[in-house]
Amino acid sequence: MNSQTAHPIRVQADTQDKTPWVRILWRYLSQKVADKTPSQALPVQQPDLSGKDNLVIRLSHSTVLLRLDGQYLLLDPVFSERASPLSFAGPKRFHPLPMQISDLPEMSAVLISHDHYDHLDKKSVQQLDAKSRCFIVPPGVDQHLIRFGIAADKIRVLDWWEQTQLGSLTIHATPAQHFSGRGFWDKNQTCWASFVVESSQQRIFYSGDSGYFNGFAQIGRRFGPIDLALIETGAYDELWPDVHMQPEQSLRAHLDLQARYLMPVHNSSFDLAMHAWYEPLERLALAAEAYQVPLVTPVFGAAVKLAQLGQPQQPNLYWWRELMPSGATLSLEPLFIPA
């Protein structure tokens, strides 16, 4: 499938219509929030790619490297210092990257969930062209890649519920509730997606960006049980509740997906909302403890062996707690359990 025009949006979050961007910008510039950025260096490891185990490695924000059945996949690669259209302004990464693009192995595919700057980085895509056999994107995002210089025959466009094969791996595009656009005049001209990746041994879900909606339960009914769910947990706010989940909603989405283990992404790299940098992880951890959901929270760059999830060799590292200020308190939301 190849898209030349914008795809009709079916689960469109309309918060951005209800809340003028000027109000959001003014609040972001004027309101003071404690601990929006870390006061100490965040822990980072150099990834260990030795062996043949299936691996998941969180590199930054929502950038995740997967090794499944001997093939490498890269999710939403952003290797630039800023998640911004400008190289000198905009949200700057809190921590060094565990590896650079030049250090990456050859990849079967790069998966891109949507066109926002913290998920689609022009410079990274251009540098990854020589490293990857193909790019897998939702409808309309292919046109961005073509403008960046990627050959059209290297791009696979997947609508929701469509799939493509990469050897023993099957990549499914699945729904999400979000919005798109890289400027003031192109809102929702491209689509967005989540993904399910099936290998011979595991099923992995990646949410991309999404508000909480009934699509998670649909995905769970089609693909559950899921071994590991990579779910966005961060950059939420009361002004845009439809496009990013509160941490407790991320846990609810995990339960809807019928997933075994939960790895939170979309946090601890960029200042993108009005909350402390550690709040998404801590709120999710407290909710997960209450509902006995096993989290996977490695430091950036740590290689997690999927076959050892839940075993002592893969402990849950609450690494952010050592960096939280003493006496920090958080406002928790009740976990929404549908009838």
Side-chain angles (χ1 to χ4, degrees), residues 14-282:
D14 61 358
T15 298
Q16 299 297 313
D17 293 322
K18 297 175 183 176
T19 307
W21 68 268
V22 174
R23 181 183 171 195
I24 294 173
L25 180 61
W26 173 250
R27 183 175 170 208
Y28 192 87
L29 295 175
S30 62
Q31 182 174 332
K32 299 297 182 183
V33 176
D35 306 316
K36 286 189 75 180
T37 60
S39 60
Q40 305 175 57
L42 301 188
V44 174
Q45 292 183 14
Q46 184 175 358
D48 179 4
L49 300 181
S50 62
K52 297 182 179 180
D53 301 275
N54 286 359
L55 302 175
V56 57
I57 304 171
R58 188 178 176 209
L59 299 177
S60 174
H61 194 55
S62 294
T63 302
V64 177
L65 181 65
L66 299 174
R67 184 171 74 195
L68 300 169
D69 293 353
Q71 299 187 72
Y72 287 96
L73 306 176
L74 189 62
L75 309 179
D76 282 349
V78 177
F79 287 81
S80 294
E81 187 177 50
R82 297 183 186 273
S84 169
L86 305 173
S87 61
F88 56 88
K92 187 176 180 180
R93 193 184 315 278
F94 299 155
H95 59 86
L97 287 166
M99 62 195 312
Q100 300 298 324
I101 289 177
S102 58
D103 302 320
L104 290 169
E106 295 296 316
M107 284 165 295
S108 293
V110 171
L111 280 61
I112 298 172
S113 64
H114 64 295
D115 69 2
H116 288 157
Y117 287 94
D118 58 326
H119 296 261
L120 174 59
D121 177 41
K122 177 180 179 180
K123 183 178 179 181
S124 297
V125 165
Q126 291 173 328
Q127 293 177 341
L128 286 164
D129 188 17
K131 284 269 188 179
S132 181
R133 279 182 251 159
C134 73
F135 293 81
I136 299 174
V137 301
V141 178
D142 56 319
Q143 299 305 303
H144 289 307
L145 269 58
I146 290 170
R147 284 193 293 273
F148 297 168
I150 307 301
D153 60 6
K154 285 191 69 172
I155 305 170
R156 302 188 191 185
V157 180
L158 295 184
D159 196 358
W160 295 345
W161 307 121
E162 291 186 337
Q163 67 187 52
T164 191
Q165 205 73 25
L166 296 170
S168 64
L169 305 181
T170 306
I171 315 298
H172 304 265
T174 46
Q177 178 176 283
H178 202 52
F179 71 109
S180 65
R182 291 173 71 81
F184 292 116
W185 316 115
D186 64 343
K187 181 183 173 184
N188 294 338
Q189 295 303 300
T190 66
C191 200
W192 47 87
S194 57
F195 295 100
V196 172
V197 180
E198 290 188 277
S199 75
S200 63
Q201 301 175 60
Q202 286 106 7
R203 280 194 185 120
I204 311 296
F205 173 78
Y206 170 56
S207 69
D209 281 2
S210 182
Y212 179 79
F213 75 128
N214 63 10
F216 294 117
Q218 288 181 282
I219 297 165
R221 287 192 293 270
R222 289 205 186 198
F223 296 105
I226 287 169
D227 295 281
L228 176 65
L230 311 175
I231 299 181
E232 65 117 78
T233 311
Y236 46 81
D237 192 272
E238 62 185 18
L239 290 182
W240 51 88
D242 298 329
V243 299
H244 288 298
M245 292 181 280
Q246 298 285 327
E248 297 78 15
Q249 291 176 313
S250 298
L251 184 66
R252 177 67 259 173
H254 168 87
L255 297 174
D256 289 352
L257 289 162
Q258 304 176 42
R260 294 192 175 99
Y261 297 92
L262 168 57
M263 177 182 284
V265 296
H266 205 260
N267 59 68
S268 308
S269 289
F270 299 108
D271 172 13
L272 297 174
M274 308 301 291
H275 56 63
W277 71 268
Y278 53 78
E279 182 184 301
L281 292 172
E282 183 63 10

